[in-house]
Amino acid sequence: MKNIIVWYATLVLTSLKSATSRRLAFLFSVLMMVANNLLFFVTWWIIYQKTPSIGGWEFRDVQMLIGITTLSYGLSVLLFFGAGKLSDEILDGGLDTYLMAPRNTMLSVSSSKCNITGLGDIITGLILLGIGVNSPTEAVLCIFFSMTGAFIQFASTVLFHSIAFWLSGLREVSDLASSTLLLLSSYPGSLFTGMVRVAIFTIIPAGFITTLPVQVIRTLDPVGAAVIIGATVGYLALASWVFSRGLLRYESGSRIDLGGQR
Amino acid sequence: MRLSLYSTLFLLGFRTELRLFVATMIRSTFLLLLLFIFSRLWALILPDGLSMPQLLWYFLITELIMISTPRVYLRMERDISDGTFAVLIQKPINYATTRIAESLGVLLGRLPSFVTLGATGTLFFTSEVPAGLRSPFALIIAFLLIYLAASVLTISYAIIGLCSAFLRDTRTLSMVWDKGVWLLGGLMVPIILYPPWLQQIAPWTPFYYLLFGVAQIALNGVTVVCIHTAIALCLWGAFGMVLVGLLQRKIASDIIGEGG
């Protein structure tokens, strides 16, 4: 396990080094992403000027929600950005280069690319959570649930893109599912009832990224926390299983390049 | 001769878009999802003086402008990074106008299907059309204004695309621009519900006319404000084209000066 973590950290650091080689462009991207997230937050501030609560969700809850969403999304794209390109790799025969390496293929693909704008998301998340939390316990829980959220986003992305192993013409559907996950994570859970509520706790697990964590932080409910941890482990296991089943169907693109940053 | 060339590119973009059925369906699904979320939001916090159909049709119009506008900056960024731009500026055509003409054709190709699916979805969620949009005349004016606003937004995206010559990656710049449109254009919330100080700032920006100026037709119907919006959009569009021309000239001179 320790070896895998060291290996993965080395891969991500290499990707990060490459992505930050142009200092000014890097700083500009990060600052723009912070501005982008804060502008979204201001829109919610405007809505809350008209109402104290949206279905029981107060402004502080939405602040926590956006903080957790941006922090978990930032971590996800910084550490696992390659997962979002998985369907391209599958359909273009790009997995060949990763299969040659004596390492976990899913992790190798996921760490092969790094989106530096994720740092802007992380900074925004920390700012919003920094001014939104009331106690050290809340702060620790927010950070912890941002990390579980990042893992759920990663697992979901792998699941959505693994569709390409079975159905080749649905590349856009994978992207749509990933966008939908982010969209549903960015709005108060009280907006979703009935079948949509079922969907956010199953096929598009946005409920485990923000809705349930905000409720757990609000009520300090240990059962809710255990459910989130269980869901995180469950989605990661499912993603790993589906990916390995999909690899059995993978047809080589006969690539002979040596991989690396592509 | 040049005008016919640009109109040919416009038609090419239009016809290509008509064939991209899957992409249109996926964008429409996303639009319907957004409409669902906002129908839930407005059901929970309906502001005084506005009805649910007014707010949802308002949101449909703002979202149609945002979702149907082609992201021409992605194509321009690619052209600049892979050298296509350097090749095309030597041809007897205007590079930026070419890309904008193509995008306007794409816009015309995708807008009717988005309008149809979006209006059907909105009717499903509200089962009512606001009074201001009930006449065929109002619907035609709304369609024309949506097309005009999306065209001006396309020009602004072309400016962002040209900026890639200096920034390399314009993703974050385009995101901030989009959020500016969201906020000061009133994508989620009509500007009349904003704090007074923000209501005063918004009309000094193009964002106000790009979204709120057009979508207010769902709140108030066809009024003299529509003419005001159309004129403002034309002026901002003309200003945008001047910027496009200046930026393109600057990039071209840099490329020629530095040897391509």
Side-chain angles (χ1 to χ4, degrees):
Chain A
M1 186 67 187
K2 193 184 161 194
N3 280 348
I4 291 179
I5 294 172
V6 171
W7 163 70
Y8 198 83
T10 312
L11 286 178
V12 170
L13 278 175
T14 311
S15 297
L16 195 62
K17 228 176 191 175
S18 153
T20 55
S21 57
R22 291 191 198 101
R23 288 270 167 83
L24 268 180
F26 160 68
L27 279 175
F28 181 80
S29 294
V30 171
L31 285 176
M32 286 289 115
M33 186 49 83
V34 173
N36 171 59
N37 294 332
L38 291 179
L39 283 172
F40 180 66
F41 178 66
V42 169
T43 313
W44 278 107
W45 175 78
I46 289 169
I47 291 175
Y48 273 95
Q49 296 301 299
K50 293 283 158 193
T51 177
S53 152
I54 299 174
W57 282 60
E58 293 171 5
F59 181 60
R60 205 178 77 83
D61 298 325
V62 170
Q63 187 172 348
M64 210 179 279
L65 175 139
I66 297 174
I68 292 175
T69 307
T70 48
L71 186 50
S72 60
Y73 184 74
L75 286 169
S76 165
V77 297
L78 198 68
L79 300 175
F80 312 114
F81 191 59
K85 308 287 174 197
L86 197 54
S87 49
D88 293 340
E89 300 286 9
I90 295 166
L91 296 171
D92 299 342
L95 288 186
D96 292 13
T97 47
Y98 301 101
L99 286 167
M100 285 197 294
R103 293 284 185 182
N104 184 301
T105 311
M106 188 174 93
L107 291 179
S108 298
V109 180
S110 303
S111 62
S112 64
K113 292 179 184 69
C114 169
N115 186 347
I116 48 161
T117 58
L119 278 176
D121 289 318
I122 292 171
I123 291 169
T124 320
L126 291 174
I127 291 171
L128 291 178
L129 293 175
I131 55 176
V133 294
N134 283 340
S135 66
T137 313
E138 276 191 6
V140 170
L141 285 174
C142 283
I143 301 290
F144 179 73
F145 289 134
S146 300
M147 287 161 69
T148 56
F151 282 121
I152 292 176
Q153 289 197 16
F154 162 57
S156 308
T157 308
V158 171
L159 282 169
F160 299 149
H161 284 267
S162 292
I163 296 173
F165 282 120
W166 287 272
L167 300 165
S168 60
L170 297 176
R171 198 184 301 219
E172 289 92 352
V173 174
S174 308
D175 290 334
L176 174 72
S178 300
S179 306
T180 305
L181 179 69
L182 183 61
L183 180 80
L184 295 176
S185 311
S186 312
Y187 288 84
S190 56
L191 296 180
F192 310 121
T193 52
M195 287 306 290
V196 179
R197 193 155 186 92
V198 174
I200 64 168
F201 286 104
T202 48
I203 51 168
I204 309 276
F208 293 115
I209 298 172
T210 49
T211 306
L212 194 55
V214 171
Q215 281 171 6
V216 169
I217 293 166
R218 211 194 281 159
T219 56
L220 296 177
D221 170 25
V223 177
V227 169
I228 295 167
I229 294 168
T232 309
V233 174
Y235 277 101
L236 282 172
L238 182 66
S240 177
W241 182 74
V242 170
F243 183 81
S244 60
R245 298 296 298 173
L247 269 186
L248 298 175
R249 295 178 56 89
Y250 175 70
E251 288 174 8
S252 169
S254 301
R255 287 248 180 125
I256 51 165
D257 61 277
L258 295 174
Q261 300 300 310
R262 286 189 294 119
Chain B
M1 183 253 172
R2 280 191 183 179
L3 193 63
S4 70
L5 176 71
Y6 298 132
S7 59
T8 306
L9 288 167
F10 174 90
L11 283 173
L12 196 66
F14 174 71
R15 283 182 191 158
T16 308
E17 187 59 26
L18 286 183
R19 289 180 186 175
L20 296 174
F21 179 73
V22 176
T24 305
M25 284 299 115
I26 283 171
R27 283 198 198 94
S28 303
T29 309
F30 203 67
L31 176 63
L32 292 177
L33 186 68
L34 285 166
L35 283 168
F36 164 77
I37 291 175
F38 278 85
S39 68
R40 299 286 308 139
L41 179 67
W42 293 126
L44 289 172
I45 52 160
L46 193 63
D48 295 337
L50 292 173
S51 66
M52 175 78 163
Q54 277 179 317
L55 282 167
L56 213 55
W57 283 88
Y58 170 91
F59 178 71
L60 172 67
I61 292 175
T62 58
E63 196 54 51
L64 277 173
I65 295 167
M66 290 301 288
I67 213 164
S68 58
T69 305
R71 267 48 182 176
V72 65
Y73 56 82
L74 295 173
R75 176 82 183 268
M76 294 173 89
E77 189 180 307
R78 206 168 57 232
D79 287 346
I80 288 173
S81 67
D82 70 10
T84 306
F85 175 84
V87 174
L88 288 179
I89 51 163
Q90 295 174 51
K91 309 271 181 196
I93 52 165
N94 185 305
Y95 165 78
T97 313
T98 303
R99 291 288 176 250
I100 291 170
E102 277 171 355
S103 299
L104 295 186
V106 169
L107 173 64
L108 190 64
R110 65 172 59 156
L111 197 52
S113 49
F114 285 151
V115 168
T116 311
L117 287 164
T120 310
T122 311
L123 271 176
F124 175 77
F125 291 124
T126 65
S127 63
E128 200 183 320
V129 179
L133 274 176
R134 278 182 201 153
S135 68
F137 175 69
L139 289 174
I140 291 167
I141 295 292
F143 184 87
L144 292 175
L145 280 177
I146 289 170
Y147 187 80
L148 180 61
S151 304
V152 177
L153 193 57
T154 304
I155 294 170
S156 74
Y157 284 156
I159 295 171
I160 292 173
L162 289 171
C163 284
S164 69
F166 314 105
L167 301 171
R168 310 268 174 192
D169 184 358
T170 55
R171 268 177 308 174
T172 48
L173 179 63
S174 63
M175 279 183 185
V176 171
W177 180 259
D178 280 349
K179 285 294 184 302
V181 180
W182 270 47
L183 184 65
L184 293 167
L187 180 117
M188 285 165 68
V189 186
I191 285 176
I192 46 172
L193 300 176
Y194 278 20
W197 62 271
L198 209 47
Q199 283 190 44
Q200 284 174 348
I201 292 173
W204 293 95
T205 67
F207 310 132
Y208 177 90
Y209 300 100
L210 283 170
L211 297 187
F212 180 75
V214 179
Q216 57 80 35
I217 205 167
L219 309 178
N220 308 318
V222 179
T223 60
V224 71
V225 178
C226 295
I227 299 170
H228 185 206
T229 298
I231 293 169
L233 282 172
C234 289
L235 289 174
W236 278 112
F239 177 66
M241 284 306 291
V242 171
L243 274 183
V244 165
L246 290 174
L247 266 174
Q248 184 171 245
R249 197 176 300 170
K250 163 79 180 137
I251 299 165
S253 71
D254 283 358
I255 286 175
I256 291 162
E258 290 168 14

